[in-house]
Amino acid sequence: MNKEEILNDYRIAYQSRLASLLGRKEVLTGKAKFGIFGDGKELPQIAMAKYFKKGDFRSGYYRDQTFMMASELLTVQAFFAQLYAHTDIEAEPASAGRMMNGHFGTRLLDEQGNWLQSKHTKNSSSDISPTAAQMVRLVGLALASKYYRANKDLIGENNFSENGNEVAWGTIGNASSSEGHFFEAINAGGVLQIPMVVSVWDDQFGISVPAKYQTTKESISEILAGFQRTAEKPGYEIFVVNGWDYPSLLATYEKASKIAREEHVPCLIHVKELTQPQGHSTSGSHERYKSKERLEWETENDCMLKFREWIQVEGYANASELAQIEDEAKIHVNVSRKNAWEAYLNPIKSELETAKQLIENLAAESTQSNAISSIVENLASIGEPIRKDIALAINQALKLTYGTQSNSRTELVNFKQSYLNSNFERYSSNLYSNSELGIQHIPEIKAQYSENSKLVDGRELLVAYFDSLLEKDPRVFAFGEDLGKIGDVNQGFAGLQDKYGESRVSDTGIRELTIIGQGLGAALRGLRPIAEIQYLDYLLYGLQPLSDDLATLQYRTKGGQKAPLIVRTRGHRLEGIWHSGSPIGMIINAIRGMYVCVPRNMTQAAGMYNTLMQADEPALVIECLNGYRLKEMLPDNMGSYSVPLGKIEVLQEGIDLTIVSYGSTLRIVQDAAKQLEEIGISCEIIDAQTLIPFDIHHQIAVSVQKTNKLLIVDEDVPGGASAFILQQLIEKQDLWKHLDAKPETLTAKEHRPAYGTDGDYYSKPSIEDVFEKVISMMNEYNPAAFAPFI
Ligand SMILES: Cc1ncc(C[n+]2csc(CCOP(=O)(O)OP(=O)(O)O)c2C)c(N)n1
């Protein structure tokens, strides 16, 4: 250890502490809305940062500012920029002001959305607020190193890994380790033997709730002791260290880093005796729930105080040298804060000036001049304006001049529109990829057939597709429950583990949450995972990371990170409450930011996978559970044809009524349409194919212009995905203009489907239901021509 390095550590830690103290003041004085800070956790983060190397990834939580600063991934100014919600990515690279403070992340993509070379940088995946959510992502970040090491010859030179030497570093609070996410991820990491180092920052509390309500024996390392590896059995290397003990922290992190990096053995570091000097967040004070003794203990055992003492006792610096460092740190933090505030505020002030001028012009031309001038005065009097102030003033002025016409009003209206556009860019852009690999850029290639094309089971068609994919792209690997040895429960991967090896086609434990995390983390590191959820009904276990993490990723980083994970599952119809669900409304509402494909058969499914694997966006593909044994024609160009997303297909032309459906219900609709044909009713049948995106070319409106009637059929609950489809059609395609009868939906019942054939028949829409519904719609439209069915 050398003096310079130690004092530099002290400087960074001290700056970080000051930033926490000042940050809290900024919230209390109203400059920022909320603050959560890393005070009390500085020292272990300094130690962790020392062993954090280029190519490594962090997956952590809101306490890690010191680590980020020590790793040179966060400046003090950027720390404040996030506190103020500065919307410029240069100022606030983690989220461009979209996430509250303490949500860290680095930019993994260039401005065009292409990967940067993460193996040459230190990296942080983007934080999210749900406690322990970082753990599931961590599994994938670590697994990627193992995959790159196992397949280095196959993959060759790449942007993401040098021989799989990268460690994924996780951090979590002691209380958050009570979450199932934590235990599942720890178990998965041990089974997989992947290079992850998990630090638990233990300050004995989770907001106000003490450890005795959080953790058995009040010690995470004690209860995880059984995970410790032995000479005979692989497992974890577990460390326990006090968070105020600088030399022990350094020694611990050095050891853990080496073991994880070289041996690919996961490590857990339980960092005890940490404190939280300012309490949990700016939302309340910890005096409410910590005892006097605990508060005193925290003051005496503050890691910064202990570090300061240690430096002096060991003779690395005396009090006045430390005081000088502290003074310099104060200046640095104050100047950074001031710069961050001005950089945040100045653009808004200049927007305000423009608006003010335009409103003044309007006042000059208007009969309401006095009232409009007072809007300008109010606006000018706001010392620290926000954009909402400007928008409100514009609207007030426009309201006062409602119904009048003048050049100055037109100019103000134009400004309002361009201001809305630029604020859309600031606050609502980047939900999906803007890169050249966005799905809209992937060309459609039609499936081709010849006289020799074979009729095969649907599942064989999938095997043929996945075989071609694995052959073609070494970044692709697939995993899930029963996916490896038997090639999934419906055998869509049959034989492919034998052909491509265990690292590329593998079984996982029953752990949907970390199956998603495994894919998400690996996709962040340039791989193309296909994560399988065995049945759609079990997607709920994995929905949290899809919804909170994957679906928000591009948005919350404003295009700074992407994880093109493909989640494969199967659903709709089979048997009983948990093997025939179709909760599509829930899904599409939960995962905006991902695509949702609902192919009617395996030919369409393979074509959609092929589009997705060429693109760089995450998606969920729901295959039809009852379609694996149905016969389909094997396309001659398997592996190269692709089905575009957002393009509907007209399966049958008709003139009386348009039926929109997707997935398994399409066959029922087709059968019903045949029977309707016999009594002279001609249905046009449309397969939506994908729900997100939905009919981007507005072709359903074209159909309804002809038939003037619309029925939506699916097997979700009433008001589920069918309501979404109706909203899209009414609002985006102005479909109401073409309707001659009430648009209808035909769905499953509100309850989950009952077991057995009768259970299915009475729970889900049947051929008879479609038949009767169509007749009732025709009867409503023209009672004279179409009698009621019964
Ligand atoms: C899933 C979820 N539940 C609850 C919360 C609210 N919450 C935020 S932080 C926190 C306590 C976390 O304590 P701990 O893990 O010990 O970390 P610390 O804040 O003490 O560093 C809680 C309950 C949340 N963010 N996410």
Side-chain angles (χ1 to χ4, degrees):
M1 273 188 275
N2 75 52
K3 173 176 170 163
E4 203 184 325
E5 195 178 339
I6 293 167
L7 294 188
N8 194 42
D9 286 348
Y10 184 73
R11 180 192 311 277
I12 295 167
Y14 195 81
Q15 281 175 4
S16 174
R17 174 61 62 92
L18 289 177
S20 297
L21 300 176
L22 198 53
R24 186 177 174 89
K25 280 194 194 135
E26 294 300 90
V27 176
L28 300 183
T29 56
K31 281 197 164 71
K33 293 210 84 171
F34 173 78
I36 191 153
F37 304 108
D39 47 308
K41 315 281 188 300
E42 290 90 349
L43 211 49
Q45 296 184 23
I46 292 278
M48 177 170 139
K50 279 200 192 298
Y51 299 97
F52 186 66
K53 300 257 181 298
K54 287 185 177 160
D56 286 2
F57 266 80
R58 164 188 170 277
S59 185
Y61 79 117
Y62 50 79
R63 296 283 177 221
D64 292 346
Q65 71 196 47
T66 314
F67 170 80
M68 294 298 287
M69 289 174 185
S71 303
E72 298 185 344
L73 299 177
L74 177 74
T75 62
V76 178
Q77 184 165 331
F79 167 88
F80 281 102
Q82 190 177 52
L83 191 67
Y84 303 137
H86 193 157
T87 52
D88 187 337
I89 56 170
E90 299 296 328
E92 203 283 86
S95 78
R98 290 177 179 190
M99 290 198 286
M100 59 170 53
N101 93 304
H103 287 60
F104 307 110
T106 54
R107 298 198 79 75
L108 305 178
L109 306 177
D110 66 17
E111 280 174 14
Q112 283 71 47
N114 303 312
W115 291 113
L116 296 168
Q117 296 199 318
S118 67
K119 72 177 175 188
H120 295 315
T121 52
K122 296 178 178 180
N123 311 289
S124 172
S125 59
S126 163
D127 295 353
I128 61 177
S129 295
T131 50
Q134 68 273 27
M135 292 297 301
V136 297
R137 183 196 316 128
L138 181 68
V139 172
L141 289 169
L143 180 89
S145 289
K146 187 169 172 169
Y147 188 82
Y148 278 112
R149 195 174 279 181
N151 295 290
K152 57 177 177 290
D153 297 333
L154 214 52
I155 294 183
E157 196 50 41
N158 68 82
N159 289 335
F160 306 94
S161 179
E162 295 286 1
N163 190 33
N165 293 338
E166 306 77 21
V167 172
W169 301 80
T171 67
I172 185 164
N174 60 293
S176 300
S177 73
S178 314
E179 296 275 14
H181 289 49
F182 176 81
F183 288 98
E184 189 179 311
I186 290 289
N187 183 49
V191 168
L192 292 167
Q193 288 292 293
I194 46 178
M196 62 191 223
V197 177
V198 178
S199 296
V200 181
W201 308 142
D202 186 355
D203 60 14
Q204 289 285 296
F205 280 86
I207 310 187
S208 66
V209 182
K212 72 171 175 171
Y213 296 115
Q214 302 283 359
T215 312
T216 310
K217 299 184 178 180
E218 300 185 34
S219 167
I220 195 67
S221 51
E222 224 178 306
I223 59 171
L224 292 183
F227 281 83
Q228 173 65 46
R229 66 172 171 166
T230 61
E232 295 78 38
K233 292 187 178 170
Y236 272 74
E237 201 56 53
I238 297 181
F239 303 86
V240 182
V241 60
N242 286 327
W244 45 261
D245 183 349
Y246 179 71
S248 299
L249 284 165
L250 293 187
T252 304
Y253 276 93
E254 184 180 16
K255 259 192 239 161
S257 163
K258 196 167 155 45
I259 291 170
R261 202 176 299 283
E262 291 172 11
E263 300 175 47
H264 277 189
V265 166
C267 298
L268 178 104
I269 305 179
H270 182 187
V271 184
K272 289 167 54 158
E273 302 206 355
L274 286 169
T275 68
Q276 204 148 269
Q278 299 190 106
H280 176 75
S281 72
T282 52
S283 294
S285 71
H286 57 160
E287 285 80 8
R288 285 177 302 160
Y289 48 80
K290 286 183 188 160
S291 67
K292 194 165 149 283
E293 294 72 39
R294 173 72 197 181
L295 288 167
E296 274 169 19
W297 182 90
E298 290 204 12
T299 311
E300 284 158 17
N301 290 281
D302 187 319
C303 64
M304 290 303 295
L305 194 70
K306 293 270 202 183
F307 189 24
R308 197 177 199 281
E309 280 167 15
W310 180 86
I311 291 172
Q312 292 180 78
V313 169
E314 296 294 318
Y316 288 111
N318 59 32
S320 75
E321 281 174 280
L322 289 174
Q324 195 190 336
I325 291 175
E326 289 162 2
D327 286 345
E328 284 164 8
K330 264 178 216 148
I331 294 169
H332 177 65
V333 171
N334 283 332
V335 169
S336 302
R337 186 213 64 78
K338 186 167 173 289
N339 290 345
W341 178 249
E342 282 169 6
Y344 157 78
L345 197 60
N346 286 343
I348 301 181
K349 281 188 166 166
S350 101
E351 292 157 28
L352 183 143
E353 283 309 313
T354 310
K356 223 172 76 183
Q357 187 60 58
L358 291 171
I359 300 172
E360 267 167 11
N361 296 350
L362 182 59
E365 274 190 37
S366 168
T367 54
Q368 298 275 1
S369 141
N370 286 346
I372 299 174
S373 296
S374 74
I375 296 171
V376 175
E377 280 160 31
N378 284 342
L379 200 54
S381 71
I382 304 172
E384 290 166 357
I386 59 173
R387 296 199 163 93
K388 186 177 169 190
D389 296 322
I390 300 168
L392 289 182
I394 294 170
N395 264 14
Q396 281 169 353
L398 292 177
K399 274 184 217 157
L400 284 173
T401 52
Y402 175 62
T404 67
Q405 278 190 344
S406 62
N407 287 344
S408 53
R409 193 172 193 279
T410 308
E411 278 181 30
L412 190 59
V413 167
N414 291 344
F415 178 72
K416 177 186 156 91
Q417 197 49 50
S418 77
Y419 202 44
L420 267 182
N421 292 345
S422 46
N423 286 326
F424 182 90
E425 208 281 321
R426 284 189 188 104
Y427 301 105
S428 303
S429 63
N430 296 88
L431 184 57
Y432 295 94
S433 172
N434 288 341
S435 84
E436 283 178 359
L437 298 177
I439 50 135
Q440 68 277 20
H441 301 303
I442 311 300
E444 173 178 12
I445 297 177
K446 300 246 190 248
Q448 286 166 6
Y449 301 93
S450 60
E451 285 167 8
N452 302 328
S453 303
K454 279 194 301 187
L455 206 56
V456 297
D457 283 354
R459 64 134 203 119
E460 290 178 90
L461 197 143
L462 286 177
V463 174
Y465 172 70
F466 290 127
D467 188 4
S468 73
L469 180 66
L470 287 159
E471 176 80 46
K472 190 164 53 188
D473 190 343
R475 301 167 309 159
V476 174
F477 65 109
F479 49 90
E481 296 155 18
D482 302 289
L483 186 96
K485 193 160 183 63
I486 64 167
D488 93 38
V489 287
N490 293 92
Q491 295 193 288
F493 270 88
L496 298 183
Q497 186 182 68
D498 286 345
K499 187 164 177 189
Y500 294 98
E502 247 192 74
S503 76
R504 302 200 63 205
V505 180
S506 58
D507 283 318
T508 66
I510 306 174
R511 49 175 182 80
E512 288 77 10
L513 195 58
T514 49
I515 286 174
I516 300 298
Q518 186 168 327
L520 203 174
L524 273 167
R525 294 190 58 199
L527 296 171
R528 293 309 312 263
I530 300 176
E532 171 165 323
I533 299 294
Q534 197 160 72
Y535 295 102
L536 181 59
D537 307 74
Y538 306 129
L539 184 74
L540 264 177
Y541 277 42
L543 193 59
Q544 185 276 328
L546 291 180
S547 179
D548 286 323
D549 200 344
L550 185 56
T552 65
L553 183 65
Q554 299 234 20
Y555 171 76
R556 75 179 191 268
T557 58
K558 203 181 181 200
Q561 298 193 359
K562 64 181 174 184
L565 166 64
I566 306 308
V567 180
R568 171 185 187 228
T569 188
R570 51 189 72 89
H572 311 314
R573 276 179 193 234
L574 195 67
E575 289 298 339
I577 296 180
W578 289 281
H579 293 86
S580 49
S582 195
I584 307 293
M586 174 187 77
I587 292 166
I588 58 179
N589 288 329
I591 60 173
R592 301 291 164 90
M594 287 180 68
Y595 292 117
V596 179
C597 303
V598 280
R600 67 179 179 277
N601 58 28
M602 305 311 159
T603 310
Q604 300 306 103
M608 290 176 194
Y609 283 123
N610 202 30
T611 297
L612 292 166
M613 296 311 296
Q614 295 170 69
D616 67 351
E617 314 218 40
L620 172 68
V621 181
I622 302 167
E623 296 165 12
C624 292
L625 192 38
N626 58 0
Y628 294 106
R629 304 274 157 194
L630 299 176
K631 297 288 181 203
E632 295 182 36
M633 197 72 90
L634 185 68
D636 296 347
N637 56 345
M638 177 50 79
S640 45
Y641 76 92
S642 47
V643 172
L645 269 55
K647 190 172 168 195
I648 59 115
E649 193 174 326
V650 178
L651 301 184
Q652 176 182 309
E653 292 194 11
I655 51 171
D656 291 324
L657 183 136
T658 300
I659 305 180
V660 176
S661 190
Y662 59 88
S664 293
T665 39
L666 276 165
R667 280 191 295 115
I668 284 159
V669 168
Q670 284 174 309
D671 287 347
K674 275 191 208 122
Q675 297 181 7
L676 288 159
E677 197 77 56
E678 287 164 17
I679 58 165
I681 298 173
S682 153
C683 299
E684 180 136 313
I685 302 174
I686 293 181
D687 179 2
Q689 303 223 76
T690 61
L691 294 173
I692 307 177
F694 183 80
D695 187 13
I696 49 182
H697 305 296
H698 293 189
Q699 289 303 300
I700 296 176
V702 174
S703 167
V704 175
Q705 264 175 42
K706 176 175 65 175
T707 64
N708 310 112
K709 285 166 234 73
L710 171 72
L711 172 62
I712 298 163
V713 181
D714 79 352
E715 43 192 295
D716 195 0
V717 294
S722 57
F724 165 78
I725 293 174
L726 203 51
Q727 176 265 340
Q728 293 283 305
L729 295 176
I730 299 286
E731 288 186 8
K732 294 202 171 160
Q733 301 195 20
D734 279 348
L735 202 102
W736 52 277
K737 289 182 181 164
H738 317 303
L739 290 172
D740 282 347
K742 185 174 75 166
E744 296 265 13
T745 65
L746 177 63
T747 66
K749 297 279 193 306
E750 277 189 65
H751 56 75
R752 303 272 184 109
Y755 181 65
T757 305
D758 283 346
D760 174 82
Y761 187 75
Y762 287 106
S763 302
K764 296 227 168 183
S766 64
I767 297 171
E768 289 67 38
D769 294 333
V770 177
F771 184 91
E772 285 193 36
K773 180 63 111 181
V774 169
I775 292 200
S776 83
M777 289 176 72
M778 296 308 290
N779 168 256
E780 185 211 334
Y781 161 67
N782 186 350
F786 300 95
F789 183 58
I790 43 173

